[in-house]
Amino acid sequence: MLVRSSLGRTRASVTHAVVVIFLEFFAWGLLTTPMLSVLHETFPKHTFLLNGLVHGVKGFLSFLSAPLIGALSDAWGRKSFLLVTVFFTCAPIPFLKISPRLYFALIAVSGIFAVTFSIIFAYVADVTEERERSTAYGLVSATFAASLVTSPAIGAYLSARYGDSLVVLVATVIAVADIAFVFFLVPESLPDKMRLSSPGSPISWEQADPFASLRRVWKDPTVLLICVTVFLSYLPEAGQYSSFFLYLKQVIHFSSEAIAAFIAMVGILSIIAQTLFLSVLMRTIGKKNTVLLGLGFQLLQLGWYAFGSEPWMMWAAGTVAAMSSITFPAVSALVSHNASADQQGVVQGMITGIRGLCNGLGPALYGFIFFLFNVELDAVQLEPGGGEQNSQRSVIPGPPFLFGACAVILALIVAVFIPENHRLADAKNPTTNGSTAHAQTGGALATPTSDAEDIEPLLQDSSM
């Protein structure tokens, strides 16, 4: 999976994307335990409602900025915007101990640039042939899982032995190393001939307006179906990320060691699912059916989380959750296959914007549902030696997960109607400045191309 680059230039590859993602999310994974403590200390009442508000602002800003950053990366290249997104996504890390309130404020504001996955998937599309992309997307997603296999456990160990300050310091050093790697070692992946404009050229408001993107969604039925599927499937996933570890601790009574082991198990199985199984499924049953299968696993997982009341049920559901991780790389591959070469960054930015919106709505929605059903997450004792909380058992121990399962059922119904092969309508306004040549290029690229021709450019955010 090498980049097609001009002679004399360092070749970009999927490896560069993998290293960037691993370092960024490893740094954030280290902060899992300290962040829970600081969150509870900073907002002692209604912790997760306020946490949902912080991530709601971040998600909305990500939704607003994702199309602009995607369009700019199509026009000016990937590296500069990858550097910006990684820098601002990691910027809040050292403030966790310096000023917790400033830390959470910076997390909210960082949503403007928290679209690393959008640029990374575009980078991967630049450096791979279409037949390789599903495997490459799976590798990037598996790297995200791999970064979380050990980092929460390492962070918890360092926090218990040496204190939270050392954990924040280590995470900061790793974040700085990630920024330095992008600046010094990551080469540009987008060939000059494929850039829609030269550096300094203006980007039209039509390309950057997120609501214009939503209007374009309505004009193309395939884009609409994909975006609705992403929204309905990722909304419960985003909410789950914000509250699930505390749910395991309070309601299911997992110890801190068991939670770290659970994260490691799901991470390892996700790596296997997104590397081995994903490529096999893509070749045998196709991209669309792989998406449907991933949604089916997600439905089973959420149903088990909703009704499960014993630890072994959570471990079993975690195994299913690992298999459901194939959904997003499969969706990204489907988008890449259906979008023409010069609009992949914009379309990928739209998908990432939808996910950013879910990263805001999901935590707030889950926290509110837990609050309605009197599951007080903000009353959790975070120390392993703390007394066990007495939580009232009910027929549905995890009401938000049942809501998530219903959303995934709707996502499955919508995904059934996504066509396997369909060129998306041109995502850019052909009447904008300097669009004559682009309109001609877009017209040529609007027709399906062979694998040999389809070699041009194109997915939290570091929300834990």
Side-chain angles (χ1 to χ4, degrees):
M1 299 177 190
L2 297 177
V3 170
R4 295 157 297 287
S5 60
S6 58
L7 241 54
R9 295 176 60 185
T10 303
R11 287 190 172 186
S13 68
V14 176
T15 303
H16 292 100
V18 163
V19 172
V20 171
I21 286 295
F22 180 85
L23 291 176
E24 178 177 314
F25 285 95
F26 189 88
W28 281 100
L30 289 172
L31 297 181
T32 302
T33 297
M35 190 189 300
L36 292 176
S37 302
V38 172
L39 178 66
H40 184 67
E41 293 168 2
T42 307
F43 307 115
K45 293 186 177 181
H46 307 305
T47 306
F48 270 79
L49 289 177
L50 292 171
N51 178 58
L53 178 62
V54 169
H55 287 283
V57 173
K58 179 180 181 179
F60 187 67
L61 291 176
S62 175
F63 166 73
L64 293 177
S65 66
L68 172 60
I69 293 178
L72 288 173
S73 74
D74 281 342
W76 295 351
R78 314 294 184 201
K79 178 174 179 175
S80 56
F81 291 96
L82 187 59
L83 181 64
V84 168
T85 57
V86 171
F87 176 83
F88 283 99
T89 300
C90 295
I93 290 177
F95 292 93
L96 181 63
K97 293 303 292 183
I98 298 173
S99 174
R101 290 186 179 274
L102 180 59
Y103 165 79
F104 289 109
L106 287 175
I107 283 184
V109 176
S110 71
I112 299 174
F113 300 101
V115 290
T116 304
F117 263 110
S118 175
I119 306 300
I120 284 293
F121 278 130
Y123 192 99
V124 168
D126 295 341
V127 305
T128 56
E129 308 287 351
E130 183 177 352
R131 62 179 177 272
E132 300 173 322
R133 280 182 199 159
S134 59
T135 301
Y137 290 151
L139 181 60
V140 171
S141 296
T143 300
F144 163 72
S147 68
L148 298 179
V149 168
T150 56
S151 56
I154 293 173
Y157 172 78
L158 292 177
S159 177
R161 192 172 180 85
Y162 302 105
D164 290 347
S165 297
L166 180 64
V167 181
V168 175
L169 176 62
V170 173
T172 302
V173 169
I174 293 174
V176 171
D178 195 16
I179 295 168
F181 178 78
V182 175
F183 186 81
F184 292 108
L185 298 178
V186 173
E188 177 56 58
S189 65
L190 185 62
D192 293 338
K193 65 177 182 177
M194 282 304 301
R195 300 188 188 183
L196 302 183
S197 59
S198 59
S201 299
I203 297 295
S204 69
W205 172 246
E206 179 70 15
Q207 292 173 253
D209 180 11
F211 299 101
S213 297
L214 292 181
R215 289 192 292 272
R216 289 196 294 270
V217 165
W218 288 99
K219 292 178 181 178
D220 191 311
T222 301
V223 176
L224 175 62
L225 292 172
I226 292 174
C227 288
V228 171
T229 300
V230 169
F231 180 82
L232 291 173
S233 63
Y234 194 69
L235 183 66
E237 187 174 340
Q240 176 183 316
Y241 286 157
S242 70
S243 59
F244 186 61
F245 298 148
L246 289 180
Y247 176 79
L248 287 179
K249 193 172 187 69
Q250 181 183 5
V251 179
I252 311 299
H253 307 308
F254 269 42
S255 65
S256 296
E257 293 78 10
I259 291 175
F262 182 91
I263 296 172
M265 180 203 74
V266 174
I268 292 171
L269 293 179
S270 296
I271 295 170
I272 296 173
Q274 294 174 20
T275 52
L276 177 62
F277 291 142
L278 180 64
S279 59
V280 172
L281 290 170
M282 287 287 195
R283 290 194 301 268
T284 55
I285 65 176
K287 300 177 181 65
K288 174 184 172 179
N289 289 332
T290 302
V291 172
L292 293 174
L293 183 62
L295 291 174
F297 281 121
Q298 186 182 8
L299 175 61
L300 180 59
Q301 160 216 337
L302 289 169
W304 218 332
Y305 284 162
F307 294 100
S309 58
E310 300 296 333
W312 70 267
M313 297 179 180
M314 298 297 106
W315 287 99
T319 305
V320 179
M323 287 302 301
S324 72
S325 66
I326 64 175
T327 304
F328 185 61
V331 168
S332 296
L334 188 62
V335 169
S336 174
H337 177 72
N338 286 335
S340 61
D342 64 334
Q343 59 176 273
Q344 303 233 8
V346 172
V347 176
Q348 196 67 33
M350 290 166 57
I351 298 298
T352 303
I354 295 292
R355 284 166 59 91
L357 194 60
C358 292
N359 281 329
L361 295 175
L365 186 60
Y366 266 49
F368 183 67
I369 295 175
F370 273 124
F371 176 78
L372 285 180
F373 284 82
N374 297 317
V375 182
E376 294 295 337
L377 293 179
D378 58 357
V380 175
Q381 295 183 12
L382 297 174
E383 294 300 323
E388 201 177 77
Q389 300 288 327
N390 292 323
S391 51
Q392 183 179 1
R393 296 281 175 160
S394 63
V395 177
I396 308 176
F401 304 114
L402 181 59
F403 165 82
C406 295
V408 173
I409 290 174
L410 296 177
L412 267 169
I413 295 172
V414 173
V416 168
F417 297 97
I418 299 175
E420 182 75 36
N421 296 293
H422 170 72
R423 278 291 163 194
L424 304 182
D426 192 356
K428 296 177 176 55
N429 187 353
T431 63
T432 57
N433 232 358
S435 64
T436 306
H438 167 57
Q440 294 170 353
T441 305
L445 292 170
T447 56
T449 59
S450 66
D451 286 345
E453 294 170 326
D454 189 14
I455 59 176
E456 308 299 354
L458 230 155
L459 220 182
Q460 263 228 57
D461 179 336
S462 61
S463 172
M464 296 303 300

Short mmCIF file of all heavy atoms in Angstrom, two decimals, residues 186-234:
data_model
loop_
_atom_site.label_atom_id
_atom_site.label_comp_id
_atom_site.label_asym_id
_atom_site.label_seq_id
_atom_site.Cartn_x
_atom_site.Cartn_y
_atom_site.Cartn_z
N VAL A 186 5.79 12.67 8.16
CA VAL A 186 4.65 12.32 7.31
C VAL A 186 4.72 13.10 6.00
O VAL A 186 4.69 14.34 6.02
CB VAL A 186 3.32 12.59 8.02
CG1 VAL A 186 2.14 12.38 7.08
CG2 VAL A 186 3.17 11.70 9.25
N PRO A 187 4.81 12.43 4.86
CA PRO A 187 4.85 13.13 3.57
C PRO A 187 3.45 13.48 3.09
O PRO A 187 2.45 12.91 3.55
CB PRO A 187 5.51 12.11 2.64
CG PRO A 187 5.12 10.79 3.22
CD PRO A 187 5.02 10.98 4.71
N GLU A 188 3.36 14.40 2.17
CA GLU A 188 2.09 14.74 1.54
C GLU A 188 1.63 13.56 0.69
O GLU A 188 2.41 12.93 0.00
CB GLU A 188 2.24 15.99 0.68
CG GLU A 188 0.97 16.39 -0.07
CD GLU A 188 -0.21 16.58 0.86
OE1 GLU A 188 -0.13 17.42 1.76
OE2 GLU A 188 -1.22 15.86 0.68
N SER A 189 0.34 13.26 0.74
CA SER A 189 -0.19 12.10 0.01
C SER A 189 -0.96 12.48 -1.24
O SER A 189 -1.15 11.64 -2.13
CB SER A 189 -1.11 11.29 0.92
OG SER A 189 -2.26 12.05 1.26
N LEU A 190 -1.43 13.73 -1.32
CA LEU A 190 -2.30 14.12 -2.43
C LEU A 190 -1.46 14.64 -3.59
O LEU A 190 -0.79 15.67 -3.46
CB LEU A 190 -3.29 15.19 -1.97
CG LEU A 190 -4.35 15.62 -2.98
CD1 LEU A 190 -5.25 14.45 -3.35
CD2 LEU A 190 -5.18 16.77 -2.41
N PRO A 191 -1.47 13.98 -4.75
CA PRO A 191 -0.69 14.46 -5.89
C PRO A 191 -1.12 15.86 -6.30
O PRO A 191 -2.30 16.21 -6.25
CB PRO A 191 -1.02 13.43 -6.98
CG PRO A 191 -1.52 12.24 -6.26
CD PRO A 191 -2.21 12.75 -5.03
N ASP A 192 -0.14 16.66 -6.73
CA ASP A 192 -0.43 18.04 -7.12
C ASP A 192 -1.48 18.11 -8.22
O ASP A 192 -2.32 19.00 -8.25
CB ASP A 192 0.85 18.74 -7.60
CG ASP A 192 1.84 18.94 -6.47
OD1 ASP A 192 1.40 18.94 -5.30
OD2 ASP A 192 3.04 19.09 -6.74
N LYS A 193 -1.43 17.15 -9.13
CA LYS A 193 -2.36 17.19 -10.27
C LYS A 193 -3.80 16.98 -9.85
O LYS A 193 -4.73 17.31 -10.60
CB LYS A 193 -1.98 16.10 -11.29
CG LYS A 193 -2.15 14.68 -10.75
CD LYS A 193 -1.84 13.65 -11.81
CE LYS A 193 -2.05 12.22 -11.26
NZ LYS A 193 -1.82 11.20 -12.29
N MET A 194 -4.01 16.41 -8.64
CA MET A 194 -5.38 16.13 -8.21
C MET A 194 -5.95 17.21 -7.30
O MET A 194 -7.09 17.16 -6.91
CB MET A 194 -5.44 14.78 -7.48
CG MET A 194 -5.42 13.59 -8.41
SD MET A 194 -6.75 13.67 -9.63
CE MET A 194 -8.17 13.71 -8.56
N ARG A 195 -5.14 18.21 -6.95
CA ARG A 195 -5.64 19.28 -6.08
C ARG A 195 -6.57 20.18 -6.89
O ARG A 195 -6.26 20.55 -8.02
CB ARG A 195 -4.49 20.07 -5.49
CG ARG A 195 -3.56 19.17 -4.67
CD ARG A 195 -2.53 19.97 -3.92
NE ARG A 195 -1.56 19.06 -3.31
CZ ARG A 195 -0.56 19.45 -2.53
NH1 ARG A 195 -0.40 20.74 -2.27
NH2 ARG A 195 0.27 18.58 -2.02
N LEU A 196 -7.67 20.54 -6.27
CA LEU A 196 -8.69 21.31 -6.98
C LEU A 196 -8.29 22.76 -7.15
O LEU A 196 -8.87 23.48 -7.95
CB LEU A 196 -10.02 21.21 -6.24
CG LEU A 196 -10.54 19.78 -6.06
CD1 LEU A 196 -11.89 19.82 -5.39
CD2 LEU A 196 -10.62 19.06 -7.39
N SER A 197 -7.31 23.23 -6.37
CA SER A 197 -6.82 24.60 -6.50
C SER A 197 -5.44 24.67 -5.90
O SER A 197 -5.01 23.76 -5.20
CB SER A 197 -7.76 25.58 -5.79
OG SER A 197 -7.86 25.26 -4.42
N SER A 198 -4.74 25.74 -6.17
CA SER A 198 -3.41 25.92 -5.60
C SER A 198 -3.52 26.53 -4.22
O SER A 198 -4.53 27.16 -3.89
CB SER A 198 -2.58 26.82 -6.51
OG SER A 198 -3.22 28.08 -6.65
N PRO A 199 -2.47 26.37 -3.36
CA PRO A 199 -2.52 26.96 -2.03
C PRO A 199 -2.80 28.46 -2.09
O PRO A 199 -2.20 29.18 -2.87
CB PRO A 199 -1.11 26.67 -1.48
CG PRO A 199 -0.68 25.43 -2.20
CD PRO A 199 -1.26 25.57 -3.59
N GLY A 200 -3.72 28.90 -1.27
CA GLY A 200 -4.10 30.31 -1.27
C GLY A 200 -5.34 30.60 -2.08
O GLY A 200 -5.94 31.66 -1.95
N SER A 201 -5.75 29.64 -2.91
CA SER A 201 -6.96 29.84 -3.69
C SER A 201 -8.18 29.77 -2.79
O SER A 201 -8.21 28.98 -1.85
CB SER A 201 -7.05 28.78 -4.80
OG SER A 201 -5.95 28.88 -5.67
N PRO A 202 -9.20 30.54 -3.06
CA PRO A 202 -10.37 30.56 -2.16
C PRO A 202 -11.21 29.28 -2.29
O PRO A 202 -11.26 28.67 -3.34
CB PRO A 202 -11.15 31.78 -2.64
CG PRO A 202 -10.76 31.94 -4.09
CD PRO A 202 -9.33 31.51 -4.16
N ILE A 203 -11.81 28.91 -1.19
CA ILE A 203 -12.76 27.80 -1.16
C ILE A 203 -14.15 28.41 -1.06
O ILE A 203 -14.41 29.28 -0.23
CB ILE A 203 -12.50 26.88 0.06
CG1 ILE A 203 -11.12 26.25 -0.05
CG2 ILE A 203 -13.57 25.81 0.15
CD1 ILE A 203 -10.95 25.31 -1.22
N SER A 204 -15.05 27.96 -1.91
CA SER A 204 -16.39 28.55 -1.93
C SER A 204 -17.15 28.21 -0.66
O SER A 204 -16.95 27.17 -0.04
CB SER A 204 -17.15 28.04 -3.16
OG SER A 204 -17.46 26.67 -3.01
N TRP A 205 -18.05 29.10 -0.28
CA TRP A 205 -18.90 28.87 0.89
C TRP A 205 -19.76 27.63 0.70
O TRP A 205 -20.07 26.92 1.65
CB TRP A 205 -19.77 30.09 1.14
CG TRP A 205 -20.82 29.87 2.20
CD1 TRP A 205 -22.16 29.85 2.05
CD2 TRP A 205 -20.58 29.62 3.59
NE1 TRP A 205 -22.79 29.60 3.24
CE2 TRP A 205 -21.84 29.45 4.22
CE3 TRP A 205 -19.43 29.50 4.37
CZ2 TRP A 205 -21.98 29.19 5.56
CZ3 TRP A 205 -19.57 29.25 5.72
CH2 TRP A 205 -20.83 29.10 6.30
N GLU A 206 -20.11 27.34 -0.54
CA GLU A 206 -20.93 26.16 -0.83
C GLU A 206 -20.22 24.89 -0.39
O GLU A 206 -20.83 23.94 0.09
CB GLU A 206 -21.23 26.11 -2.33
CG GLU A 206 -22.06 24.89 -2.78
CD GLU A 206 -23.49 24.94 -2.29
OE1 GLU A 206 -23.94 26.01 -1.87
OE2 GLU A 206 -24.15 23.88 -2.34
N GLN A 207 -18.88 24.86 -0.57
CA GLN A 207 -18.11 23.68 -0.18
C GLN A 207 -17.99 23.55 1.33
O GLN A 207 -17.90 22.44 1.85
CB GLN A 207 -16.72 23.74 -0.80
CG GLN A 207 -16.68 23.61 -2.32
CD GLN A 207 -15.28 23.85 -2.83
OE1 GLN A 207 -14.98 24.88 -3.42
NE2 GLN A 207 -14.41 22.90 -2.59
N ALA A 208 -17.94 24.69 2.04
CA ALA A 208 -17.66 24.67 3.47
C ALA A 208 -18.90 24.69 4.34
O ALA A 208 -18.82 24.36 5.52
CB ALA A 208 -16.78 25.87 3.83
N ASP A 209 -20.03 25.08 3.81
CA ASP A 209 -21.26 25.20 4.58
C ASP A 209 -21.79 23.82 4.94
O ASP A 209 -22.20 23.06 4.07
CB ASP A 209 -22.29 25.97 3.76
CG ASP A 209 -23.61 26.14 4.50
OD1 ASP A 209 -23.65 25.84 5.71
OD2 ASP A 209 -24.60 26.55 3.86
N PRO A 210 -21.80 23.45 6.24
CA PRO A 210 -22.27 22.11 6.62
C PRO A 210 -23.75 21.90 6.32
O PRO A 210 -24.19 20.78 6.05
CB PRO A 210 -22.00 22.05 8.13
CG PRO A 210 -21.99 23.47 8.57
CD PRO A 210 -21.42 24.25 7.42
N PHE A 211 -24.53 23.00 6.36
CA PHE A 211 -25.94 22.85 6.07
C PHE A 211 -26.18 22.69 4.57
O PHE A 211 -27.14 22.05 4.15
CB PHE A 211 -26.70 24.05 6.64
CG PHE A 211 -26.57 24.15 8.13
CD1 PHE A 211 -25.68 25.06 8.71
CD2 PHE A 211 -27.29 23.32 8.97
CE1 PHE A 211 -25.54 25.14 10.08
CE2 PHE A 211 -27.16 23.40 10.34
CZ PHE A 211 -26.28 24.30 10.89
N ALA A 212 -25.25 23.26 3.76
CA ALA A 212 -25.31 22.99 2.33
C ALA A 212 -25.02 21.52 2.08
O ALA A 212 -25.61 20.89 1.20
CB ALA A 212 -24.30 23.86 1.59
N SER A 213 -24.12 20.96 2.91
CA SER A 213 -23.84 19.53 2.80
C SER A 213 -25.10 18.72 3.09
O SER A 213 -25.40 17.73 2.41
CB SER A 213 -22.73 19.13 3.79
OG SER A 213 -21.52 19.78 3.48
N LEU A 214 -25.84 19.16 4.12
CA LEU A 214 -27.08 18.46 4.44
C LEU A 214 -28.10 18.60 3.31
O LEU A 214 -28.85 17.67 3.01
CB LEU A 214 -27.66 18.99 5.75
CG LEU A 214 -26.87 18.67 7.01
CD1 LEU A 214 -27.57 19.24 8.23
CD2 LEU A 214 -26.68 17.16 7.16
N ARG A 215 -28.09 19.79 2.66
CA ARG A 215 -29.00 19.95 1.52
C ARG A 215 -28.59 19.04 0.37
O ARG A 215 -29.45 18.51 -0.33
CB ARG A 215 -29.01 21.42 1.09
CG ARG A 215 -29.73 22.34 2.08
CD ARG A 215 -29.97 23.71 1.48
NE ARG A 215 -28.73 24.45 1.27
CZ ARG A 215 -28.17 25.22 2.19
NH1 ARG A 215 -28.72 25.33 3.40
NH2 ARG A 215 -27.06 25.88 1.93
N ARG A 216 -27.28 18.88 0.17
CA ARG A 216 -26.81 17.95 -0.86
C ARG A 216 -27.18 16.52 -0.50
O ARG A 216 -27.41 15.68 -1.37
CB ARG A 216 -25.30 18.09 -1.06
CG ARG A 216 -24.88 19.38 -1.73
CD ARG A 216 -23.46 19.28 -2.23
NE ARG A 216 -22.49 19.16 -1.15
CZ ARG A 216 -21.90 20.18 -0.55
NH1 ARG A 216 -22.19 21.41 -0.92
NH2 ARG A 216 -21.03 19.99 0.41
N VAL A 217 -27.19 16.23 0.80
CA VAL A 217 -27.58 14.89 1.25
C VAL A 217 -28.98 14.57 0.75
O VAL A 217 -29.26 13.47 0.26
CB VAL A 217 -27.52 14.80 2.79
CG1 VAL A 217 -28.26 13.57 3.28
CG2 VAL A 217 -26.06 14.75 3.26
N TRP A 218 -29.88 15.55 0.84
CA TRP A 218 -31.27 15.31 0.43
C TRP A 218 -31.39 15.14 -1.08
O TRP A 218 -32.31 14.51 -1.57
CB TRP A 218 -32.15 16.46 0.90
CG TRP A 218 -32.36 16.45 2.38
CD1 TRP A 218 -31.71 17.20 3.30
CD2 TRP A 218 -33.26 15.62 3.12
NE1 TRP A 218 -32.14 16.91 4.57
CE2 TRP A 218 -33.11 15.94 4.50
CE3 TRP A 218 -34.19 14.63 2.77
CZ2 TRP A 218 -33.83 15.31 5.50
CZ3 TRP A 218 -34.92 14.02 3.78
CH2 TRP A 218 -34.73 14.36 5.11
N LYS A 219 -30.44 15.74 -1.83
CA LYS A 219 -30.51 15.66 -3.28
C LYS A 219 -30.03 14.32 -3.82
O LYS A 219 -30.41 13.92 -4.91
CB LYS A 219 -29.68 16.79 -3.91
CG LYS A 219 -30.25 18.18 -3.66
CD LYS A 219 -29.35 19.26 -4.25
CE LYS A 219 -29.92 20.64 -3.97
NZ LYS A 219 -29.05 21.72 -4.49
N ASP A 220 -29.16 13.66 -3.10
CA ASP A 220 -28.65 12.36 -3.54
C ASP A 220 -29.17 11.28 -2.59
O ASP A 220 -28.78 11.23 -1.43
CB ASP A 220 -27.12 12.36 -3.55
CG ASP A 220 -26.55 11.13 -4.23
OD1 ASP A 220 -26.98 10.01 -3.91
OD2 ASP A 220 -25.69 11.29 -5.11
N PRO A 221 -30.06 10.42 -3.06
CA PRO A 221 -30.66 9.41 -2.18
C PRO A 221 -29.63 8.49 -1.53
O PRO A 221 -29.80 8.08 -0.38
CB PRO A 221 -31.59 8.63 -3.12
CG PRO A 221 -31.85 9.55 -4.27
CD PRO A 221 -30.61 10.36 -4.43
N THR A 222 -28.55 8.17 -2.26
CA THR A 222 -27.55 7.26 -1.70
C THR A 222 -26.81 7.91 -0.54
O THR A 222 -26.60 7.29 0.51
CB THR A 222 -26.55 6.82 -2.78
OG1 THR A 222 -27.26 6.17 -3.83
CG2 THR A 222 -25.52 5.87 -2.21
N VAL A 223 -26.41 9.18 -0.71
CA VAL A 223 -25.76 9.91 0.38
C VAL A 223 -26.69 10.01 1.58
O VAL A 223 -26.28 9.85 2.74
CB VAL A 223 -25.32 11.31 -0.08
CG1 VAL A 223 -24.74 12.10 1.08
CG2 VAL A 223 -24.29 11.21 -1.19
N LEU A 224 -27.95 10.28 1.33
CA LEU A 224 -28.94 10.37 2.41
C LEU A 224 -29.02 9.07 3.19
O LEU A 224 -28.99 9.06 4.42
CB LEU A 224 -30.31 10.74 1.83
CG LEU A 224 -31.47 10.76 2.84
CD1 LEU A 224 -31.24 11.80 3.91
CD2 LEU A 224 -32.80 11.02 2.11
N LEU A 225 -29.11 7.96 2.48
CA LEU A 225 -29.21 6.66 3.14
C LEU A 225 -27.96 6.36 3.96
O LEU A 225 -28.06 5.87 5.10
CB LEU A 225 -29.43 5.57 2.10
CG LEU A 225 -30.78 5.59 1.36
CD1 LEU A 225 -30.80 4.57 0.23
CD2 LEU A 225 -31.93 5.32 2.33
N ILE A 226 -26.79 6.66 3.41
CA ILE A 226 -25.55 6.40 4.13
C ILE A 226 -25.46 7.27 5.38
O ILE A 226 -25.10 6.79 6.47
CB ILE A 226 -24.33 6.63 3.21
CG1 ILE A 226 -24.29 5.57 2.11
CG2 ILE A 226 -23.03 6.61 4.01
CD1 ILE A 226 -23.21 5.79 1.07
N CYS A 227 -25.78 8.56 5.24
CA CYS A 227 -25.69 9.47 6.39
C CYS A 227 -26.69 9.11 7.49
O CYS A 227 -26.37 9.17 8.68
CB CYS A 227 -25.91 10.91 5.93
SG CYS A 227 -24.52 11.60 5.01
N VAL A 228 -27.90 8.73 7.12
CA VAL A 228 -28.90 8.32 8.11
C VAL A 228 -28.45 7.04 8.81
O VAL A 228 -28.59 6.90 10.04
CB VAL A 228 -30.28 8.12 7.45
CG1 VAL A 228 -31.26 7.49 8.43
CG2 VAL A 228 -30.83 9.46 6.97
N THR A 229 -27.86 6.12 8.05
CA THR A 229 -27.35 4.88 8.65
C THR A 229 -26.25 5.18 9.65
O THR A 229 -26.22 4.63 10.75
CB THR A 229 -26.84 3.94 7.55
OG1 THR A 229 -27.90 3.62 6.66
CG2 THR A 229 -26.28 2.66 8.16
N VAL A 230 -25.32 6.06 9.25
CA VAL A 230 -24.23 6.44 10.15
C VAL A 230 -24.77 7.10 11.41
O VAL A 230 -24.35 6.78 12.53
CB VAL A 230 -23.24 7.37 9.43
CG1 VAL A 230 -22.24 7.98 10.42
CG2 VAL A 230 -22.49 6.63 8.33
N PHE A 231 -25.73 8.01 11.26
CA PHE A 231 -26.29 8.71 12.41
C PHE A 231 -26.97 7.74 13.38
O PHE A 231 -26.71 7.78 14.59
CB PHE A 231 -27.29 9.77 11.94
CG PHE A 231 -27.92 10.54 13.07
CD1 PHE A 231 -27.26 11.60 13.66
CD2 PHE A 231 -29.18 10.19 13.55
CE1 PHE A 231 -27.84 12.31 14.70
CE2 PHE A 231 -29.76 10.89 14.59
CZ PHE A 231 -29.08 11.96 15.17
N LEU A 232 -27.81 6.87 12.87
CA LEU A 232 -28.59 5.97 13.74
C LEU A 232 -27.71 4.92 14.40
O LEU A 232 -28.01 4.46 15.51
CB LEU A 232 -29.69 5.28 12.93
CG LEU A 232 -30.83 6.19 12.47
CD1 LEU A 232 -31.77 5.43 11.54
CD2 LEU A 232 -31.60 6.75 13.65
N SER A 233 -26.62 4.52 13.74
CA SER A 233 -25.75 3.50 14.32
C SER A 233 -24.70 4.09 15.24
O SER A 233 -24.30 3.46 16.23
CB SER A 233 -25.08 2.68 13.22
OG SER A 233 -24.25 3.50 12.42
N TYR A 234 -24.23 5.30 14.92
CA TYR A 234 -23.15 5.87 15.73
C TYR A 234 -23.67 6.64 16.94
O TYR A 234 -22.94 6.81 17.92
CB TYR A 234 -22.28 6.80 14.88
CG TYR A 234 -20.97 7.13 15.57
CD1 TYR A 234 -19.99 6.17 15.76
CD2 TYR A 234 -20.73 8.42 16.06
CE1 TYR A 234 -18.81 6.46 16.41
CE2 TYR A 234 -19.54 8.73 16.71
CZ TYR A 234 -18.59 7.74 16.88
OH TYR A 234 -17.41 8.04 17.53
#
